[in-house]
């Protein structure tokens, strides 16, 4: 099982991460998600995002989320990279990539990891707008998305 879990300030190269994750011949599917800083949120123009975390606690939480995914699906590899620090519009924030022998396991595990990452990992996000900064709370839609995995 290839497992790469990191919290880092520097950017990642998607093609490099894909190559590392998908290099074995028993892998039949790789599903990935990249989250980026967008220019609009809460009806305001966003100009950037700052992410903070609690070192040690955050990494432990990410490992626990991946552990849960591995218990649910037959995975052959997971890459989970989350950036911290000051990010600008269009910057990559997060990569979740999952490898499995079959596509359904890869799709489901990637979706699960992202849902739990949004609701269970201790990251604090502050948006920068043209006129202000504001801390972001968890969205109800993210909480509801994560709850669907509790019934399975």
């Amino acid at each position: 099982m290839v497992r790469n879990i990191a919290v880092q300030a520097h950017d990642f190269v998607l093609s490099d991460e894909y190559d590392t994750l998908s290099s074995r011949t028993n892998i039949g599917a790789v599903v990935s998600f990249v989250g980026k800083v967008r220019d609009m949120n809460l009806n305001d123009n966003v100009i950037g995002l700052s992410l903070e975390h609690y070192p040690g606690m955050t990494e432990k939480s990410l490992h626990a989320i991946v552990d849960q995914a591995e218990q649910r699906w037959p995975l052959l590899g997971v890459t989970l990279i989350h950036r911290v620090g000051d990010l600008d519009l269009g910057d990559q924030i997060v990569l979740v990539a999952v490898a499995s022998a079959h596509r359904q396991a890869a799709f489901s595990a990637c979706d699960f990891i992202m849902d739990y990452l949004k609701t269970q990992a201790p990251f604090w996000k502050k948006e920068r707008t043209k006129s202000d900064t504001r801390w972001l709370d968890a969205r109800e839609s993210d909480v509801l998305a994560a709850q669907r995995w509790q019934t399975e």
Side-chain angles (χ1 to χ4, degrees):
M1 166 81 174
V2 173
R3 189 183 237 218
N4 176 22
I5 299 174
V7 177
Q8 61 194 43
H10 62 279
D11 201 3
F12 53 87
V13 178
L14 180 59
S15 60
D16 292 348
E17 298 301 333
Y18 174 83
D19 289 345
T20 299
L21 184 64
S22 66
S23 62
R24 294 173 320 206
T25 58
N26 61 340
I27 292 172
V30 175
V31 172
S32 65
F33 171 84
V34 175
K36 297 179 64 171
V37 180
R38 63 179 178 265
D39 66 357
M40 180 65 69
N41 190 35
L42 302 173
N43 296 317
D44 278 328
N45 291 322
V46 174
I47 60 171
L49 182 68
S50 297
L51 290 116
E52 297 179 10
H53 78 296
Y54 191 93
M57 178 189 291
T58 303
E59 291 84 353
K60 184 177 179 181
S61 175
L62 300 184
H63 280 276
I65 291 167
V66 171
D67 288 345
Q68 290 178 60
E70 290 174 347
Q71 291 169 12
R72 289 174 177 247
W73 296 281
L75 305 182
L76 299 172
V78 174
T79 297
L80 171 51
I81 300 171
H82 204 298
R83 295 184 62 204
V84 292
D86 293 332
L87 303 175
D88 295 320
L89 293 181
D91 284 352
Q92 299 177 127
I93 304 168
V94 62
L95 167 64
V96 176
V98 178
S100 183
H102 302 286
R103 65 184 159 90
Q104 191 55 55
F107 273 112
S108 295
C110 188
D111 199 20
F112 170 87
I113 291 170
M114 196 61 222
D115 285 345
Y116 271 51
L117 183 62
K118 295 281 286 183
T119 58
Q120 312 232 345
F123 289 100
W124 295 275
K125 298 177 184 179
K126 184 192 292 185
E127 275 185 337
R128 299 186 308 270
T129 67
K130 291 181 179 180
S131 62
D132 203 1
T133 61
R134 63 176 169 232
W135 291 102
L136 298 177
D137 293 324
R139 296 173 187 240
E140 185 177 343
S141 60
D142 292 331
V143 173
L144 291 173
Q147 286 175 351
R148 70 189 164 116
W149 299 107
Q150 295 172 9
T151 62
E152 292 187 6

